[in-house]
C-alpha cells in the first residue's frame, strides 16, 4: 500500500473514529434500553425493545463492528504509520467483538488512546460505588475493563489494581489478555485478527 501523508492519515483516523463513535452509540443506546426494560423505565428509552429485538439488534451491531474491523485490517496492511495510528483502535474493536469489553464508553476511550479520561471515569465510578449509586457487579465489570485498557495502553497499574484485575477478570477477558499480551508490531497486531478473539460470539 502506498504511504499516506500526515494530512491524509489524520483525516483517515478522524473518519475511522467517527464510524466507531456511531457504532459505540448504537451499543450504548441498546444497553440503556435493556436497563430501562429491566426496570420498566420505558419513558427514558428511545424505543421499547423486546428481548428478542434487543439480541437481534445487538448481533447486527457486532456484525457491523466485525466489518469495520476488516476495513481497518485492509487499511493497515503493510503500512506501519497506520498500524501506529489505528492499532489501538483495532485492539478496542477486537475487545468489543469478542465481548471481552461490554461498556461502549470504555471501548471508545480505549480506541482513542485516552488513559487520562479512563482514569477519570474510574475515579468517578469509585465515588459512585461508595455512595451506592453504582451496583457492585457493574462497578467490577467496568473497572476490570478500564484496568485492562490502561494496561494495553502502556499505563502502569498499582499492585492493588493488578490484584483486582487478577481476581475479577472473566474467562473471555483473560483470553483476550493472553492473545494480546505482547502486541506491538504490525505482525502481532495482524495476527490478532486471525485469532478467536476477533470473532463475533454465536
Amino acid at each position: 500500500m502506498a504511504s499516506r501523508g500526515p494530512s491524509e492519515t489524520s483525516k483517515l483516523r478522524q473518519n475511522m473514529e467517527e464510524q466507531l463513535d456511531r457504532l459505540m452509540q448504537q451499543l450504548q443506546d441498546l444497553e440503556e434500553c435493556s436497563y430501562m426494560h429491566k426496570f420498566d423505565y420505558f419513558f427514558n428509552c428511545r424505543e421499547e425493545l423486546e428481548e428478542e429485538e434487543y439480541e437481534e439488534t445487538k448481533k447486527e451491531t457486532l456484525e457491523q463492528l466485525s466489518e469495520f474491523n476488516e476495513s481497518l485490517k485492509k487499511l493497515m496492511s503493510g503500512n506501519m504509520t497506520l498500524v501506529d495510528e489505528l492499532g489501538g483502535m483495532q485492539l478496542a474493536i477486537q475487545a468489543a467483538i469478542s465481548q471481552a469489553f461490554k461498556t461502549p464508553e470504555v471501548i471508545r476511550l480505549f480506541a482513542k488512546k485516552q488513559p487520562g479520561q479512563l482514569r477519570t471515569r474510574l475515579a468517578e465510578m469509585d465515588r459512585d460505588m461508595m455512595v451506592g449509586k453504582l451496583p457492585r457487579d457493574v462497578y467490577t465489570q467496568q473497572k476490570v475493563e478500564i484496568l485492562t485498557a490502561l494496561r494495553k495502553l502502556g499505563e502502569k497499574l498499582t499492585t492493588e489494581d493488578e490484584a483486582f484485575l487478577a481476581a475479577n477478570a472473566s474467562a473471555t477477558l483473560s483470553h483476550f489478555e493472553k492473545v494480546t499480551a505482547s502486541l506491538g508490531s504490525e505482525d502481532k497486531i495482524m495476527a490478532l485478527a486471525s485469532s478467536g478473539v476477533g470473532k463475533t460470539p454465536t
Side-chain angles (χ1 to χ4, degrees), residues 126-135:
D126 286 339
R127 289 195 298 270
D128 287 348
M129 208 272 289
M130 288 180 67
V131 299
K133 289 175 62 178
L134 190 65

Side-chain angles (χ1 to χ4, degrees), residues 1-4 9 75-88 113 184-190:
M1 179 184 289
S3 62
R4 301 169 184 267
T9 298
L75 284 169
M76 292 162 60
S77 180
N79 189 321
M80 284 306 296
T81 299
L82 289 182
V83 168
D84 291 340
E85 286 287 322
L86 303 176
K113 299 181 180 179
S185 71
E186 177 192 11
D187 289 343
K188 289 175 181 175
I189 290 175
M190 293 307 158

Side-chain angles (χ1 to χ4, degrees), residues 53-66:
E53 293 177 291
Y54 165 80
E55 293 296 342
E56 183 62 32
T57 306
K58 185 171 183 178
K59 180 181 177 183
E60 290 174 359
T61 303
L62 290 174
E63 287 173 352
Q64 290 176 46
L65 271 173
S66 294

Side-chain angles (χ1 to χ4, degrees), residues 5-57:
S7 177
E8 187 178 358
T9 298
S10 177
K11 288 179 180 178
L12 178 61
R13 180 180 178 82
Q14 182 179 353
N15 179 261
M16 294 293 101
E17 288 182 350
E18 288 172 355
Q19 290 186 55
L20 181 63
D21 282 344
R22 177 180 59 80
L23 290 169
M24 289 301 101
Q25 189 59 53
Q26 285 179 213
L27 282 178
Q28 184 71 44
D29 290 345
L30 278 171
E31 294 309 311
E32 288 176 359
C33 284
S34 175
Y35 181 84
M36 298 305 173
H37 187 283
K38 181 178 180 181
F39 294 100
D40 295 326
Y41 294 157
F42 289 130
F43 58 89
N44 279 329
C45 189
R46 184 169 296 180
E47 60 178 324
E48 296 180 21
L49 287 178
E50 296 299 329
E51 185 67 23
E52 186 176 338
E53 293 177 291
Y54 165 80
E55 293 296 342
E56 183 62 32
T57 306

